[in-house]
Amino acid sequence: MTARIGVVTFPGSLDDRDTQRAIRLAGAEPVALWHKDKDLKQVDAVVLCGGFSYGDYLRAGAIARFSPVMEPLIEQAKAGLPVLGICNGFQILTEAHLLPGAMLGNDHLHFICRDQKLRVENAETSWTSDYRAGQEIHIPLKNMDGRYVADDRTLAELEAEGRVAFRYLDVNPNGSLNDIAGITNAAGNVVGLMPHPEHAVEPLIGTGRTDGLPFFTSILKKLVNA
């Protein structure tokens, strides 16, 4: 049976079609989920894609967190459902308290769009097992509110427990503390990151590399072997 991975579209989402394409290229079936859906259509995993849900009013992700689809998503994520939040999706995951910390405006107060070098810090999550720890990859980055912050205790816990999933290399593009580009929950089923792996799955787009594809092959292998 083909693994089914849901992609949630909120008003203002930009990258839902790109994410569906990446899932399809990896060999899974993308399932479109609308923000007003009150069930997840029995999908095996969910991706919260990038964009500017609800225009980023109040705070990025703050309104989307209360969309009807989030109620079953939060419940099932806590029970082990794999969830990936990309950019705005990462912001939504912090607002929903599925991941700790918060996302603030970039320290230079400008929107940024660039190819970004990252180091894989944790290759044991549901979404990163096709990488190796210490691997350096290039993933497109585009955001206005990408500065990851957390209190000292939370940062210490993330570092001590190996829950920093990705770290910026060469340059910190937005002022994120500890150069954090992505994190995971303790169980490893929920991952959030600011860069966009769905834009790096074919050699003719994005960085011209396929460094983002392992996100989607990782979860496929996880689901097939479950």
Side-chain angles (χ1 to χ4, degrees), residues 65-85:
R65 176 261 178 273
F66 292 102
S67 291
V69 74
M70 291 301 295
E71 183 175 350
L73 188 146
I74 291 170
E75 179 182 354
Q76 293 184 41
K78 290 179 178 179
L81 179 75
V83 178
L84 175 65

Side-chain angles (χ1 to χ4, degrees), residues 105-118:
N106 298 340
D107 60 353
H108 45 71
L109 303 181
H110 294 287
F111 181 84
I112 188 169
C113 183
R114 56 170 289 148
D115 292 341
Q116 178 65 48
K117 189 176 182 180
L118 306 174

Side-chain angles (χ1 to χ4, degrees), residues 143-214:
N143 63 71
M144 182 68 192
D145 299 291
R147 177 162 54 108
Y148 180 78
V149 298
D151 59 50
D152 290 342
R153 178 178 179 180
T154 298
L155 286 173
E157 288 179 353
L158 290 173
E159 297 288 0
E161 296 173 7
R163 290 171 54 197
V164 175
F166 298 90
R167 214 179 299 269
Y168 297 117
L169 288 184
D170 293 345
V171 62
N172 185 324
N174 45 36
S176 291
L177 297 180
N178 292 21
D179 298 327
I180 290 174
I183 61 174
T184 178
N185 67 344
N189 64 301
V190 179
V191 172
L193 79 160
M194 286 310 296
H196 286 259
E198 78 280 11
H199 295 329
V201 295
E202 297 177 281
L204 292 179
I205 62 171
T207 59
R209 301 157 60 120
T210 58
D211 290 0
L213 191 58

Side-chain angles (χ1 to χ4, degrees), residues 82-86 118-135 137 139 162-167 181-185 187-193 195 197 211-223:
V83 178
L84 175 65
I86 302 170
L118 306 174
R119 182 172 62 238
V120 179
E121 302 284 26
N122 185 331
E124 298 180 1
T125 78
S126 297
W127 299 93
T128 61
S129 62
D130 263 1
Y131 293 107
R132 66 180 185 278
Q135 183 176 351
I137 60 177
I139 302 289
R163 290 171 54 197
V164 175
F166 298 90
R167 214 179 299 269
I183 61 174
T184 178
N185 67 344
N189 64 301
V190 179
V191 172
L193 79 160
D211 290 0
L213 191 58
F215 276 89
F216 306 101
T217 57
S218 293
I219 188 59
L220 181 58
K221 290 180 180 178
K222 167 74 173 179
L223 296 173

Side-chain angles (χ1 to χ4, degrees), residues 2-37:
T2 303
R4 303 172 72 249
I5 301 178
V7 180
V8 180
T9 299
F10 300 93
S13 293
L14 298 179
D15 301 306
D16 43 353
R17 297 295 181 88
D18 301 67
T19 304
Q20 291 174 26
R21 179 175 177 81
I23 290 168
R24 194 175 294 112
L25 285 172
E29 177 189 350
V31 178
L33 299 174
W34 184 234
H35 70 113
K36 289 187 176 181
D37 289 342

